[in-house]
Amino acid sequence: MAEKIIILDFGSQVTQLIGRRLRELNVYCEIYPFNKIPAIDATVKGVILSGSPFSVRDANAPKADISGIKGRLPLLGICYGAQFLAQRYGGEVDASTAREYGRAMLEVIDNDSPLLKGVEKRSQVWMSHGDTITKLPEGGEIIASTDDVKNAAYRICGEDTYAVQFHPEVYHTTEGMKILSNFALGICGCKGDWTPASFIDTTIAGLKEKLGNDKVILGLSGGVDSTVAAVLLNRAIGHNLTCIFVNNGLLRKNEFEDVLASYKDMGLNVIGADASAAFIRELKGVTEPERKRKVIGRLFIETFDEYAQKIENAKWLAQGTIYPDVIESASVNGPSSTIKSHHNVGGLPEKMNLKIVEPLRSLFKDEVRRVGRALGIKDELIGRHPFPGPSLGIRILGEVTEEKLAILREADDIFIRGLREYKIDGVPSASDPSVTADNLYDSIWQAGAILLPVKSVGVMGDERTYEYTIALRAVISTDGMTADWVHLPYDFLARVSNDIINKVRGVNRVVYDISSKPPATIEWE
């Protein structure tokens, strides 16, 4: 079994980033709530304690039982984790005289410390705390300080226990990757051999053993996750995998036909389920966003179930669940505080009495894409932007009609094709920084057009018009949890706006959304 590092999550918003950084070092890791520590076996090479929104001085502050870890395995406390270690083992933590958030300059005191080996004498770090460690724990020794935080990093003598008050996982800490590398590859002794190729080999072998000669059903969406899951399963069980691709009538222009054709070229056994008429009929008169989502979700389940029942002796339902789904479904404070529930094909497993198989549940989104490329999946599928499950149904504000869908499909097609065709100097791809993007589409995380329920006056030729407004949206992100709007070139926006207004009947105005998430969301509904 592969070696790994365990990350105990105390509720920090950037805990996932610790995992992502370790994966970038080709070190496998798993994230667990602080109160659900897994069995520590020979595969566990080290443990990291995350940050937290709590103060260790709070009565309800999260506390983990690490008595079986500290002194036995390499241990790294980050921010709250550092304060927890100090308070738990004889040190003291008090409220800071000045709350420290943002950039600070770290000065290395112990140049021989294994955690800070090769780190610049002075470097920028990112602080985010209202408490400070005023007394180190028993055996504690300072290894770095900032101007305002004396105990910015320390170690406990006689054991591989380290702690830092700052966040090495965020980009603003310039030597953060070096520090994490020193811990994972140096102190923990990890080999750093967890790669897409090794993941593919071990996953296919595991699927063969788990599934045997059983039949598996997978709901394809045309997106990255379900596509990579399908190819992995196909490599493992071949013709025993049946994929169902549901046309909900809300897909982009020619998407149903184009995606089906792509899958046929890949040798997948795919059934196309065209239920577009039923979806449009059921959405008539529905304007409230959440109700629209529920109608679309219910009809998807009914359609998928109808076609799945035709597959005899199917025993498994495959899902494209990825690691952020798993993490977000396991709250550090129990089910009542869960950020979002498991959302791939809600309701299907119980209704269909199928067991679940999730080949990608240990991967982050960018890792899914790297595995897809290693599997030889075409770039037009691997590099696709995320697309919402309810499709264009939530990019038409208000009631969904055939007329509005036709307008939005054309406008969206012009926008997306324009992004693909607009050439730029090579930059890291938004979906995978290890790949170079030479066009606007690949340089951004997600883009799409939205049809607003707003008509305004315009002039075309000598005639007065009263037509719809299209909003364009393009964002940059790493995981969709936060996002910034993209500064698209003015000449590109001008060209796309002109093309949409001239070529799409029913539109006389185009606007560009310059809202970030938060406070806005990526989608409009």
Side-chain angles (χ1 to χ4, degrees):
M1 187 177 290
E3 61 186 18
K4 62 191 171 190
I5 287 178
I6 297 297
I7 301 167
L8 297 184
D9 181 16
F10 288 88
S12 170
Q13 291 182 329
V14 291
T15 298
Q16 283 194 33
L17 271 181
I18 304 172
R20 291 174 64 87
R21 298 295 170 258
L22 291 178
R23 299 285 184 89
E24 288 171 18
L25 295 167
N26 294 330
V27 173
Y28 182 66
C29 60
E30 294 177 352
I31 300 173
Y32 291 89
F34 72 93
N35 54 358
K36 295 179 181 177
I37 301 175
I40 305 298
D41 57 27
T43 67
V44 180
K45 299 300 181 183
V47 176
I48 294 177
L49 309 180
S50 83
S52 175
F54 290 91
S55 163
V56 293
R57 299 178 299 108
D58 292 344
N60 61 341
K63 293 178 171 58
D65 180 6
I66 58 171
S67 55
I69 297 171
K70 182 180 175 293
R72 175 185 167 196
L73 288 173
L75 182 63
L76 173 63
I78 293 176
C79 197
Y80 177 95
Q83 295 167 357
F84 171 74
L85 280 171
Q87 186 189 65
R88 172 70 178 78
Y89 293 98
E92 293 179 6
V93 178
D94 296 314
S96 300
T97 53
R99 293 162 68 88
E100 188 166 83
Y101 293 96
R103 295 172 176 83
M105 292 303 295
L106 184 77
E107 181 162 355
V108 175
I109 294 173
D110 182 359
N111 294 299
D112 296 324
S113 167
L115 186 70
L116 302 179
K117 183 179 179 181
V119 172
E120 293 289 334
K121 180 70 174 175
R122 282 182 63 82
S123 64
Q124 176 182 286
V125 295
W126 185 263
M127 294 284 193
S128 180
H129 58 88
D131 292 336
T132 193
I133 299 168
T134 52
K135 177 184 175 183
L136 291 177
E138 185 178 345
E141 180 179 271
I142 299 173
I143 57 175
S145 301
T146 70
D147 291 341
D148 296 318
V149 180
K150 180 181 179 182
N151 300 313
Y154 67 87
R155 65 169 298 178
I156 293 181
C157 298
E159 58 189 62
D160 287 326
T161 299
Y162 298 84
V164 295
Q165 279 264 3
F166 53 90
H167 286 273
E169 70 272 28
V170 303
Y171 288 113
H172 306 295
T173 297
T174 54
E175 298 271 38
M177 280 297 284
K178 182 64 180 172
I179 293 170
L180 290 174
S181 174
N182 284 342
F183 179 72
L185 301 178
I187 297 166
C188 296
C190 292
K191 298 183 183 70
D193 57 0
W194 193 75
T195 63
S198 66
F199 172 83
I200 291 168
D201 291 342
T202 56
T203 300
I204 290 175
L207 289 170
K208 285 180 177 178
E209 182 179 350
K210 183 175 188 176
L211 303 174
N213 201 38
D214 291 350
K215 290 186 178 180
V216 179
I217 303 170
L218 169 69
L220 278 175
S221 67
V224 177
D225 301 337
S226 66
T227 298
V228 174
V231 173
L232 278 170
L233 283 159
N234 188 50
R235 295 271 182 97
I237 63 173
H239 67 278
N240 278 338
L241 171 68
T242 300
C243 304
I244 299 173
F245 181 32
V246 176
N247 181 5
N248 58 15
L250 308 170
L251 301 176
R252 285 171 155 162
K253 185 177 179 180
N254 300 326
E255 186 169 23
F256 186 58
E257 298 78 11
D258 290 348
V259 171
L260 278 179
S262 297
Y263 286 140
K264 285 181 181 178
D265 291 344
M266 295 162 62
L268 295 175
N269 178 24
V270 182
I271 297 173
D274 190 351
S276 52
F279 278 80
I280 303 303
R281 183 174 62 250
E282 291 286 325
L283 285 169
K284 185 176 182 180
V286 179
T287 59
E288 201 274 320
E290 190 58 26
R291 191 174 162 217
K292 275 200 284 188
R293 287 177 176 269
K294 288 180 178 178
V295 168
I296 295 167
R298 173 178 59 81
L299 286 172
F300 174 85
I301 289 172
E302 291 174 359
T303 305
F304 188 92
D305 187 39
E306 176 189 345
Y307 280 81
Q309 294 296 335
K310 300 174 184 177
I311 302 167
E312 295 182 1
N313 301 317
K315 295 185 178 179
W316 297 84
L317 174 70
Q319 296 187 152
T321 309
I322 61 175
Y323 203 36
D325 302 333
V326 177
I327 298 168
E328 289 165 2
S329 295
S331 164
V332 298
N333 291 316
S336 63
S337 300
T338 297
I339 298 171
K340 64 179 179 181
S341 59
H342 195 283
H343 62 268
N344 272 302
V345 194
L348 277 173
E350 186 176 331
K351 180 176 182 180
M352 298 174 66
N353 196 30
L354 297 174
K355 293 181 284 186
I356 301 296
V357 57
E358 298 168 317
L360 306 178
R361 66 179 284 114
S362 66
L363 299 184
F364 289 102
K365 190 77 171 186
D366 54 342
E367 293 171 330
V368 175
R369 287 193 166 98
R370 288 172 194 165
V371 167
R373 288 190 172 93
L375 287 166
I377 300 173
K378 290 177 287 190
D379 275 344
E380 54 260 40
L381 285 172
I382 291 302
R384 289 191 71 189
H385 290 175
F387 190 56
S391 311
L392 298 182
I394 57 168
R395 291 185 178 175
I396 294 174
L397 274 60
E399 183 183 12
V400 176
T401 66
E402 291 279 18
E403 178 202 14
K404 292 178 181 177
L405 279 166
I407 291 172
L408 182 56
R409 282 195 182 101
E410 293 300 326
D412 181 81
D413 184 59
I414 290 171
F415 183 35
I416 298 301
R417 279 193 294 108
L419 289 169
R420 290 187 183 279
E421 293 167 1
Y422 193 98
K423 298 301 179 183
I424 60 173
D425 293 334
V427 299
S429 167
S431 64
D432 183 351
S434 66
V435 177
T436 299
D438 63 359
N439 62 79
L440 279 177
Y441 183 89
D442 291 333
S443 73
I444 61 181
W445 168 264
Q446 185 174 352
I450 300 95
L451 180 65
L452 305 185
V454 174
K455 286 188 174 183
S456 61
V457 174
V459 177
M460 290 189 179
D462 295 325
E463 296 183 5
R464 178 181 181 274
T465 62
Y466 191 64
E467 295 177 332
Y468 287 109
T469 298
I470 288 287
L472 304 179
R473 183 79 159 133
V475 298
I476 191 74
S477 180
T478 55
D479 51 20
M481 300 292 286
T482 61
D484 291 321
W485 62 279
V486 178
H487 293 240
L488 292 176
Y490 287 156
D491 64 320
F492 169 78
L493 288 171
R495 185 189 314 163
V496 167
S497 173
N498 189 61
D499 284 349
I500 290 173
I501 291 171
N502 286 336
K503 296 176 181 178
V504 182
R505 189 175 296 275
V507 176
N508 68 359
R509 195 175 297 271
V510 173
V511 299
Y512 185 51
D513 182 351
I514 59 169
S515 310
S516 293
K517 175 186 179 181
T521 53
I522 295 176
E523 300 295 341
W524 279 49
E525 283 194 342

